[in-house]
């Protein structure tokens, strides 16, 4: 997603105290949603077959989901999530109807059949109702029921943060993904549904509706699943990419065909740049799609959604304030960057959402660098610092469906840019990014795994750097004294033990040199120093100690 973080009713929390000493009170619903409960942990998702019928005239839907799973541990109670006001109407296993009880937005199903470890079983969950309508998609989430200019239905789903269980029953926790999925969407006559993966078939039903079967053959995260329904025109292309031939499919409203055909030409150069930095597009088997939606955009896996008005920038604006952000379409670049960071490498817990957004923010800088040079990329990422708030830590609270500060975008990107300075070797930096996408290919991860991976691959212990930028709101400050040409310096306003090296210039125009400050004052050998400035690529402050 993009830029604005959301807190909705189900993530009800209470903030007590000042911004610097935040405490939260979480509800039982937060725990049921945000933790790997015993009723979730014993089974491993294998496959979803979601069948859904949209009835736009009364904003309702009916459907079912066949949940296929492997039994990991003996247990007889299975948790499925579905948010009010939708309701589960029936659960069936092997033809037998099962009892279930509802607790908040979770349903606990009592299985009759003995669940044997190692076996694959399935339950079919039937449901119906009038799903929550999104008021400000994609930020608040839910169903989007709109019309195009010609008066045709233009319908979409958006559920990042809110959760996929806002519109279909599932295991609504990010740690577990099905290996594959089939989405069968039945929509009114004349309309087209575009979902994830590849279109397997279209069935013309006797009542005039049409059913679209979309097959996804890779693991997919919950909020990545989507429906997009409208009067679409469709065209295709192919890219000869790192892993062979990649199918590209484009869908836009008929009324926007010309603008879309022009703007969507940015897809191929985007894929070239990202394959260079991150390795092959992670879902060749499912293809790449760009699909117009009635909201700004989202990183739906293999069907990136687009509503940026066919203009460059973020709704025509440059977030960096440097001009570099106006040379490309923010939604095409950012949301597609998520195919590597969000859809290929996926957080287990939303507290680690920086894994998605910090790297994807940095992908914008890398895109600029690929086409306009290293200085342009650096200007873009450092230009975005004006949007950093330092209001609360980037890492949220685990197990209660809580994400951290929106600083995960610009501050996260600047943290990565700072770490790149520490690595000090661009081919190595690129290998770290490519290696990460290979090592954690199609996996869900903890943020700590990414931190450790970067330390190991760079050969630098980055623990204090991550603690500083992800778990603290202070900007580390190099404090110095200049007396009779001698320089003393140390880190302050930082986590205990912070010891990040820093490139500085010690005279008005001299070359950069590396300092190795700690929190203890040190004196630099030599004399004749007249000034101290830091390399602007590092996200730090520098100040002269008071009293001089
Ligand atoms: Zn994003």
């Amino acid at each position: 997603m993009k830029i604005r973080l959301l807190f909705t009713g189900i993530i009800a929390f209470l903030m007590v105290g000042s911004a610097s000493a935040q405490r939260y009170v979480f509800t039982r619903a937060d725990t049921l949603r945000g933790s790997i409960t015993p009723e979730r942990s014993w089974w491993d998702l294998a496959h979803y077959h979601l069948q859904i019928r949209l009835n736009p005239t009364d904003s309702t839907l009916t459907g079912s989901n066949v949940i296929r799973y492997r039994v990991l541990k003996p247990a007889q109670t299975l948790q499925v999530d579905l948010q009010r006001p939708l309701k589960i109407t029936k659960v069936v296993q092997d033809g037998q109807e099962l009892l279930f009880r509802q607790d908040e937005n979770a349903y606990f199903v009592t299985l009759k059949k003995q669940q044997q470890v190692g076996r694959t079983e399935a339950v079919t969950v039937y449901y119906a109702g009038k799903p929550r309508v999104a008021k400000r998609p994609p930020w608040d989430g839910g169903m989007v029921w709109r019309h195009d200019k010609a008066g045709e239905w233009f319908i979409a789903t958006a559920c990042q943060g809110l959760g996929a269980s806002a519109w279909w029953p599932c295991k609504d926790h990010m740690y577990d993904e099905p290996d594959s999925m089939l989405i069968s969407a039945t929509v009114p006559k004349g309309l087209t549904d575009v979902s994830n993966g590849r279109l397997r078939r279209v069935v013309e039903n006797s009542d005039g509706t049409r059913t679209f079967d979309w097959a996804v053959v890779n693991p997919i995260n919950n909020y990545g699943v989507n429906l997009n329904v409208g009067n679409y025109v469709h065209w295709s292309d192919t890219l000869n990419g790192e892993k062979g031939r990649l199918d590209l499919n484009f869908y836009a409203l008929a009324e926007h065909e010309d603008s879309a055909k022009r703007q969507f030409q940015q897809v191929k150069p985007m894929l070239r740049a990202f394959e260079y930095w991150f390795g092959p597009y992670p879902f060749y088997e499912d293809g790449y799609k760009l699909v117009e939606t009635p909201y700004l955009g989202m990183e739906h896996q293999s069907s990136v959604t687009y509503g940026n008005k066919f203009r460059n920038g973020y709704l025509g604006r440059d977030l960096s304030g440097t001009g570099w952000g106006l040379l490309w379409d923010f939604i095409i670049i950012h949301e597609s960057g998520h195919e590597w960071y969000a859809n290929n490498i996926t957080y287990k817990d939303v507290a680690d959402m920086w894994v998605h957004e910090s790297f994807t923010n940095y992908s914008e800088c890398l895109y600029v660098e690929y086409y306009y040079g290293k200085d342009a990329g650096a200007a873009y990422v450092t230009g975005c610092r004006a949007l950093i708030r330092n209001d609360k830590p980037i890492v949220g609270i685990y197990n209660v469906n809580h994400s951290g500060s929106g600083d995960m975008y610009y501050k996260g990107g600047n943290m990565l840019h700072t770490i790149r300075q520490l690595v000090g070797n661009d081919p190595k930096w690129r290998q770290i990014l490519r290696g990460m996408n290979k090592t954690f290919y199609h996996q869900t991860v903890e943020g700590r795994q990414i931190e450790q991976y970067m330390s190991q691959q760079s050969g630098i212990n980055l623990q204090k750097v991550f603690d500083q930028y992800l778990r603290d709101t202070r900007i580390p400050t190099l404090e110095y004294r200049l007396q009779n040409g001698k320089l003393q310096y140390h880190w302050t306003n930082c986590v205990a033990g912070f010891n990040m090296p820093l490139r500085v210039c010690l005279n008005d125009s001299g070359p950069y040199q590396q300092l190795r400050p700690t929190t203890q004052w040190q004196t630099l050998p030599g004399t004749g120093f007249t000034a101290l400035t830091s390399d602007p690529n590092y996200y730090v402050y520098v100040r002269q100690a008071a009293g001089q």
Side-chain angles (χ1 to χ4, degrees):
M1 190 194 66
K2 181 58 283 306
I3 308 315
R4 296 166 84 153
L5 288 196
L6 49 145
F7 288 110
T8 64
I10 59 146
I11 320 171
F13 66 84
L14 205 72
M15 205 171 81
V16 184
S18 70
S20 60
Q22 287 169 345
R23 283 186 296 132
Y24 301 91
V25 176
F26 293 95
T27 64
R28 175 166 169 74
D30 298 327
T31 300
L32 287 173
R33 172 73 201 291
S35 65
I36 304 171
T37 60
E39 294 81 9
R40 280 175 172 154
S41 66
W42 65 267
W43 53 286
D44 177 38
L45 275 169
H47 184 79
Y48 284 135
H49 180 192
L50 174 63
Q51 287 181 280
I52 188 164
R53 171 183 284 261
L54 296 182
N55 310 304
T57 48
D58 62 359
S59 312
T60 63
L61 53 82
T62 54
S64 64
N65 188 14
V66 182
I67 303 173
R68 197 167 288 282
Y69 60 91
R70 289 175 285 269
V71 180
L72 303 175
K73 286 185 282 192
Q76 294 298 124
T77 308
L78 178 143
Q79 179 180 344
V80 181
D81 305 286
L82 185 68
Q83 295 178 32
R84 301 185 191 97
L86 289 172
K87 275 203 161 92
I88 289 179
T89 52
K90 190 165 69 165
V91 183
V92 174
Q93 183 162 60
D94 292 353
Q96 284 195 301
E97 202 170 327
L98 301 175
L99 294 174
F100 56 84
R101 72 180 168 84
Q102 186 178 358
D103 186 349
E104 304 288 349
N105 290 316
Y107 288 77
F108 294 92
V109 181
T110 305
L111 301 164
K112 289 182 184 169
K113 181 182 180 183
Q114 194 69 34
Q115 305 291 301
Q116 287 183 17
V117 174
R119 294 281 295 271
T120 298
E121 302 288 354
V123 287
T124 305
V125 180
Y126 295 88
Y127 75 114
K130 201 169 185 167
R132 172 197 166 102
V133 175
K135 293 189 184 72
R136 288 169 51 257
W139 298 291
D140 64 341
M143 293 297 299
V144 186
W145 308 97
R146 301 260 173 91
H147 290 92
D148 66 14
K149 286 202 189 97
E152 298 277 7
W153 281 106
F154 190 22
I155 304 164
T157 58
C159 60
Q160 190 192 26
L162 179 63
S165 57
W167 63 278
W168 56 286
C170 57
K171 182 193 266 194
D172 204 358
H173 192 290
M174 295 284 284
Y175 86 100
D176 197 6
E177 296 182 355
D179 308 330
S180 57
M181 180 164 183
L182 180 61
I183 302 155
S184 302
T186 302
V187 301
K189 191 176 182 174
L191 297 177
T192 297
D193 170 61
V194 185
S195 289
N196 314 77
R198 290 183 189 270
L199 184 60
R200 188 171 279 176
R201 63 174 185 159
V202 183
V203 179
E204 305 280 347
N205 301 309
S206 55
D207 61 358
T209 60
R210 293 202 288 176
T211 302
F212 293 78
D213 281 354
W214 290 90
V216 180
V217 299
N218 286 302
I220 183 165
N221 67 48
N222 289 327
Y223 79 79
V225 176
N226 74 153
L227 306 180
N228 304 288
V229 180
N231 180 26
Y232 284 119
V233 288
H234 167 227
W235 66 101
S236 326
D237 201 345
T238 53
L239 176 91
N240 290 315
E242 285 197 12
K243 211 172 146 183
R245 185 185 128 144
L246 175 61
D247 293 324
L248 313 176
N249 283 284
F250 303 98
Y251 294 84
L253 289 185
E255 64 198 37
H256 296 144
E257 184 173 358
D258 293 344
S259 340
K261 280 188 168 157
R262 175 180 44 77
Q263 195 74 353
F264 289 4
Q265 284 174 17
Q266 294 190 28
V267 164
K268 278 181 156 181
M270 171 276 296
L271 288 165
R272 292 235 178 273
F274 287 166
E275 287 208 327
Y276 171 84
W277 286 112
F278 304 140
Y281 172 75
F283 307 103
Y284 269 67
E285 304 79 2
D286 289 323
Y288 172 93
K289 292 194 295 295
L290 189 61
V291 187
E292 185 182 351
T293 46
Y295 61 85
L296 183 58
M298 185 57 68
E299 62 259 30
H300 297 118
Q301 184 172 314
S302 72
S303 60
V304 173
T305 51
Y306 178 90
N308 198 33
K309 315 279 186 207
F310 311 103
R311 294 167 72 188
N312 281 354
Y314 176 88
L315 290 171
R317 289 190 300 125
D318 174 13
L319 296 173
S320 75
T322 61
W324 293 113
L326 291 177
L327 301 180
W328 40 280
D329 187 308
F330 181 91
I331 291 298
I332 294 177
I333 305 306
H334 177 94
E335 307 305 344
S336 300
H338 278 306
E339 293 286 330
W340 285 263
Y341 292 99
N343 296 337
N344 186 36
I345 306 177
T346 309
Y347 62 69
K348 277 188 183 356
D349 191 305
V350 72
D352 288 324
M353 193 169 167
W354 70 272
V355 173
H356 296 193
E357 298 300 350
S358 301
F359 283 96
T360 301
N361 174 273
Y362 200 63
S363 78
E364 298 158 28
C365 156
L366 294 172
Y367 174 84
V368 172
E369 177 172 336
Y370 188 82
Y371 286 106
Y372 306 104
K374 197 169 168 179
D375 289 348
Y380 179 83
V381 68
T382 56
C384 288
R385 285 179 193 164
L387 301 168
I388 298 173
R389 288 179 289 186
N390 287 311
D391 54 348
K392 46 185 184 168
I394 286 176
V395 169
I397 298 169
Y398 293 94
N399 300 316
V400 284
N401 197 36
H402 175 265
S403 56
S405 169
D407 281 347
M408 68 180 78
Y409 292 88
Y410 314 108
K411 186 178 174 181
N414 273 284
M415 173 187 77
L416 295 174
H417 192 60
T418 301
I419 291 172
R420 180 181 181 179
Q421 312 311 313
L422 304 177
V423 173
N425 177 331
D426 286 346
K428 189 173 182 180
W429 174 246
R430 179 176 163 228
Q431 283 314 313
I432 291 173
L433 298 173
R434 290 176 67 96
M436 190 184 298
N437 275 283
K438 210 170 167 182
T439 303
F440 301 106
Y441 183 72
H442 291 179
Q443 288 182 30
T444 63
V445 301
E446 293 171 10
R448 296 270 187 196
Q449 289 175 267
I450 299 299
E451 295 171 38
Q452 283 159 13
Y453 177 85
M454 292 186 78
S455 283
Q456 282 159 8
Q457 298 303 310
S458 66
I460 305 166
N461 184 347
L462 297 167
Q463 194 53 60
K464 296 292 179 189
V465 177
F466 286 118
D467 286 347
Q468 183 70 53
Y469 291 101
L470 296 178
R471 301 183 177 85
D472 200 288
T473 57
R474 294 170 295 174
I475 301 308
T477 302
L478 187 81
E479 195 175 43
Y480 69 95
R481 292 185 195 124
L482 272 173
Q483 276 174 330
N484 304 323
K486 279 203 149 315
L487 175 75
Q488 292 183 303
Y489 59 93
H490 77 147
W491 282 121
T492 182
N493 206 40
C494 58
V495 298
F498 187 68
N499 58 355
M500 185 174 83
L502 180 66
R503 274 157 54 84
V504 297
C505 176
L506 289 171
N507 290 305
D508 293 326
S509 58
Y512 282 118
Q513 69 179 81
Q514 181 124 306
L515 281 189
R516 297 195 163 275
T518 66
T519 53
Q520 305 297 313
W521 283 100
Q522 295 177 60
T523 303
L524 193 69
T527 186
F529 304 117
T530 56
L532 188 152
T533 49
S534 64
D535 178 342
N537 287 301
Y538 292 76
Y539 181 47
V540 298
Y541 291 154
V542 171
R543 73 163 178 240
Q544 201 157 2
Q548 294 177 63

